[in-house]
Amino acid sequence: MKPKILVVEDDANLVELIRYNLEQEDFVVVSTEDGEEALVLADEEKPDLVLLDWMIVNLSGIEVCRRMRREPATANLPIIMLTARTEEADRIRGLEIGADDYITKPFSPRELVARIRAVLRRLRPALAGGNLEYAGIFMDTTAHKVTRDGQSVALGPTEFRLLRHFLEHPGRVFSREQLLDSVWGRDVYVEQRTVDVHIRRLRKAINLDGLPDVIRTVRSAGYSLDTDGRREAVA
């Protein structure tokens, strides 16, 4: 699966330069110049990382970053700020708001790609190779095998895809609709409550011998893979 990058930038020429170089490195690129649309795309497209310019249309990059950090679905989404501002105070402000890295314009395409890969390796290690691991759960995506604390876990095809999606986005909350789009596909009609059925099956399969429940139910929001392990009724 190719990592998806959301580019939020109002300089059309720079967007095309970024798009060309990222696509050459096997990334998928979605872009907008509008801060409000960026929030919508972050929810709908579920990018793996956001490149966020400081000065954009309708909402500033700082405000977009702040709002993304407030929402459960995007609270853990990696964000790299792009800006011409060079003052230390500006860099600190961006990082304090919640950005994971900060790149000052002008920058080289090679540096940009390297910084993106570094952030993804640090925050989304699942994208770095064929094996996924979180909280004692190990998935070999090539051999289609799953273990937890060394014990084999038997999963059906749907539960395997569901767990893989969670392992690729640990800590991130997904609504039923988002899980349907990502795991079942947008072209398939499935009732949203079907997600609950497969979540129950996945929980039963991976919670071996009374191990802690790492599938967290977030009231009125959805589900996440989280060592917090709290379970609440979903409205």
Side-chain angles (χ1 to χ4, degrees):
M1 185 179 298
K2 296 181 180 180
K4 182 183 292 185
I5 310 299
L6 172 58
V7 179
V8 188
E9 167 63 62
D10 61 355
D11 183 333
N13 291 330
L14 181 56
V15 170
E16 289 310 306
L17 177 65
I18 291 173
R19 181 188 301 277
Y20 173 79
N21 283 277
L22 291 185
E23 289 179 348
Q24 290 296 304
E25 296 292 330
D26 224 20
F27 291 95
V28 175
V29 177
V30 179
S31 66
T32 180
E33 63 177 13
D34 188 304
E36 292 182 350
E37 186 180 12
L39 295 173
V40 175
L41 289 174
D43 182 59
E44 293 181 348
E45 295 290 338
K46 296 174 283 295
D48 296 295
L49 181 143
V50 178
L51 288 178
L52 180 59
D53 187 31
W54 188 293
M55 299 298 295
I56 48 178
V57 178
N58 287 327
L59 287 178
S60 70
I62 285 291
E63 182 58 26
V64 171
C65 183
R66 182 183 289 112
R67 293 191 188 186
M68 285 183 175
R69 290 298 179 242
R70 287 176 182 168
E71 293 298 320
T74 54
N76 297 303
L77 179 60
I79 298 173
I80 297 178
M81 297 291 296
L82 300 176
T83 181
R85 295 171 179 258
T86 58
E87 296 296 323
E88 181 183 34
D90 291 326
R91 295 198 300 273
I92 292 174
R93 183 184 177 198
L95 294 171
E96 287 181 342
I97 289 297
D100 298 290
D101 201 354
Y102 191 105
I103 300 179
T104 303
K105 301 175 183 177
F107 51 81
S108 72
R110 290 182 63 187
E111 179 192 7
L112 177 64
V113 171
R115 298 283 278 274
I116 289 173
R117 292 196 185 282
V119 170
L120 288 177
R121 279 197 303 271
R122 187 172 76 248
L123 301 177
R124 298 286 310 283
L127 296 172
N131 296 328
L132 311 179
E133 187 171 7
Y134 180 81
I137 300 172
F138 181 85
M139 174 181 284
D140 184 332
T141 60
T142 303
H144 264 241
K145 293 182 179 179
V146 175
T147 60
R148 183 172 185 188
D149 290 353
Q151 300 181 66
S152 180
V153 176
L155 295 177
T158 301
E159 287 72 43
F160 185 92
R161 295 196 305 271
L162 190 58
L163 179 59
R164 177 171 182 165
H165 184 71
F166 281 132
L167 286 169
E168 289 174 343
H169 307 84
R172 188 168 170 185
V173 179
F174 292 94
S175 67
R176 293 186 185 95
E177 183 177 8
Q178 289 174 325
L179 289 172
L180 285 173
D181 286 345
S182 299
V183 178
W184 279 263
R186 295 187 178 184
D187 297 329
V188 178
Y189 177 76
V190 181
E191 290 286 345
Q192 289 194 15
R193 288 293 176 178
T194 300
V195 174
D196 300 337
V197 173
H198 288 282
I199 288 289
R200 285 196 295 270
R201 290 177 181 173
L202 179 58
R203 274 187 168 131
K204 183 177 180 180
I206 65 174
N207 294 335
L208 302 166
D209 299 328
L211 289 172
D213 187 358
V214 291
I215 306 273
R216 183 162 67 100
T217 304
V218 182
R219 186 181 298 275
S220 301
Y223 300 101
S224 72
L225 184 67
D226 195 327
T227 52
D228 189 330
R230 290 174 295 167
R231 293 178 62 180
E232 307 168 357
V234 176

